[in-house]
Amino acid sequence: MEPRLDTQTGYLLVKLGALAGARFDGVLAPLGLRGRHVRVIEEMRGASHSQQELCQATGLDRTTMVAVLDDLEQRGYARRSRSTADRRKHVVTLTGAGERAFKEAARALADAQEAFLAPLSAGERDQLRDLVERLRTTTG
Amino acid sequence: MEPRLDTQTGYLLVKLGALAGARFDGVLAPLGLRGRHVRVIEEMRGASHSQQELCQATGLDRTTMVAVLDDLEQRGYARRSRSTADRRKHVVTLTGAGERAFKEAARALADAQEAFLAPLSAGERDQLRDLVERLRTTTG
DNA sequence: TATTGTTATACTCTATAACTATA
DNA sequence: TATAGTTATAGAGTATAACAATA
């Protein structure tokens, strides 16, 4: 007899990932953000990028990027301006408010992660991180 | 400076879970099944159930269950019949073809999991399974 | 002709609610 | 009136393709 699917590592990984994702979404929601916004902002920090470059860095497609930047611009977290070098491109820059929003989001996410991993000891968390990272870089 | 989000355990867990889910979906697709179908079939094995009971066992809601059972019935993997005890209920039973399809799917999933976890040693897989399981039962 | 950003369209999912047939 | 199953509808999410402006 086959072992129950829901006792297997693969299934557990899928479920745990979904659970973690929901937690993180829930933490960002009160800030009016979603994961993708945070990832895009993180990418913008320190330097300006074209939308194209942001797409490559984050893996979002360009139509999604338009919507994300619309959101960020509307909240005053980012600004778009035409590139003088290539007028097809938009130079996207992070505002001070955007930087502050990122810090707040990063803190909230770190707290949520801390709570999520709380059942494990420090050593076990390191183990988990190592195993997961290796799977992701090797398998994925 | 904050550490990159994509180097953190929580983020890695979310991504790895999504990756594993995509793999498993990909393995089931050629069989014309999705995860939910397999979970429902697994629940039906050995005993008959009402749709309601299948919903409780799998966490699917009843409108989704209708679609899943439509699929399974169309493929000849399941049959619905009126309960004589309570004619509102459908007694759902697994067919021989359904049982065979389940075995095939379970094997394909086991192979996919094996490949997915291949970068880890047997001991590390046990570790991973233990850590993930504990997180899921404690945190989730 | 190709590229950047944008908009429009269509498709999938899901969640809700309305409907039927029984109880 | 409540329950089991079904169907219909609407909303969000995503992916594709068409479009405008530059190059």
Side-chain angles (χ1 to χ4, degrees):
Chain A
M1 179 61 75
E2 300 80 5
R4 292 270 312 179
L5 293 175
D6 58 8
T7 63
Q8 299 192 44
T9 309
Y11 184 88
L12 292 171
L13 273 177
V14 174
K15 287 300 177 186
L16 189 70
L19 187 61
R23 290 284 172 85
F24 298 146
D25 286 349
V27 158
L28 292 179
L31 307 178
L33 297 172
R34 298 181 51 186
R36 57 181 56 168
H37 297 105
V38 180
R39 273 184 284 139
V40 169
I41 296 182
E42 179 174 51
E43 210 49 49
M44 291 167 55
R45 297 178 81 205
S48 299
H49 299 270
S50 70
Q51 297 187 195
Q52 186 77 261
E53 288 164 344
L54 288 175
C55 287
Q56 283 160 355
T58 59
L60 298 177
D61 83 29
R62 57 187 186 166
T63 70
T64 305
M65 185 59 70
V66 170
V68 169
L69 292 177
D70 284 349
D71 294 341
L72 295 178
E73 222 175 10
Q74 194 183 356
R75 299 183 158 270
Y77 295 166
R79 265 194 287 275
R80 283 189 263 220
S81 57
R82 286 273 168 204
S83 163
T84 50
D86 181 343
R87 288 179 46 74
R88 290 175 303 184
K89 295 187 181 179
H90 280 171
V91 175
V92 189
T93 53
L94 191 63
T95 66
E99 174 66 22
R100 287 190 293 279
F102 176 79
K103 287 218 167 84
E104 189 181 2
R107 195 160 37 234
L109 287 172
D111 291 349
Q113 179 179 250
E114 173 69 22
F116 191 84
L117 298 177
L120 305 185
S121 72
E124 288 170 334
R125 293 186 212 184
D126 288 345
Q127 261 180 4
L128 178 64
R129 193 179 165 296
D130 173 59
L131 295 173
V132 169
E133 194 176 30
R134 275 170 53 206
L135 278 182
R136 208 168 109 78
T137 53
T138 319
T139 292
Chain B
M1 179 59 77
E2 300 80 6
R4 293 271 309 181
L5 294 176
D6 57 9
T7 64
Q8 299 192 44
T9 309
Y11 183 89
L12 292 171
L13 274 177
V14 174
K15 286 300 175 187
L16 190 69
L19 187 61
R23 290 285 171 85
F24 297 147
D25 287 349
V27 158
L28 293 178
L31 307 178
L33 297 172
R34 298 181 50 184
R36 57 182 55 166
H37 297 104
V38 181
R39 271 183 287 140
V40 169
I41 295 182
E42 179 174 53
E43 209 49 47
M44 291 167 56
R45 297 178 82 206
S48 299
H49 298 271
S50 70
Q51 297 188 194
Q52 186 76 261
E53 288 164 346
L54 289 174
C55 289
Q56 283 161 356
T58 59
L60 297 177
D61 82 31
R62 57 187 184 165
T63 70
T64 306
M65 185 59 69
V66 170
V68 170
L69 292 178
D70 285 349
D71 294 341
L72 295 179
E73 223 175 9
Q74 193 183 357
R75 299 182 158 269
Y77 295 165
R79 265 195 287 273
R80 284 187 263 221
S81 57
R82 287 272 169 205
S83 163
T84 50
D86 181 343
R87 288 180 47 73
R88 290 174 303 183
K89 296 187 182 181
H90 281 171
V91 175
V92 189
T93 53
L94 191 63
T95 66
E99 174 66 23
R100 287 190 293 279
F102 176 80
K103 287 218 167 86
E104 189 181 0
R107 196 161 36 235
L109 287 172
D111 290 349
Q113 178 179 250
E114 173 69 23
F116 191 83
L117 298 176
L120 305 185
S121 72
E124 288 169 334
R125 292 186 213 184
D126 288 345
Q127 262 182 3
L128 178 65
R129 193 179 165 294
D130 172 61
L131 295 173
V132 168
E133 194 175 30
R134 275 171 53 206
L135 277 181
R136 208 167 109 79
T137 54
T138 320
T139 293

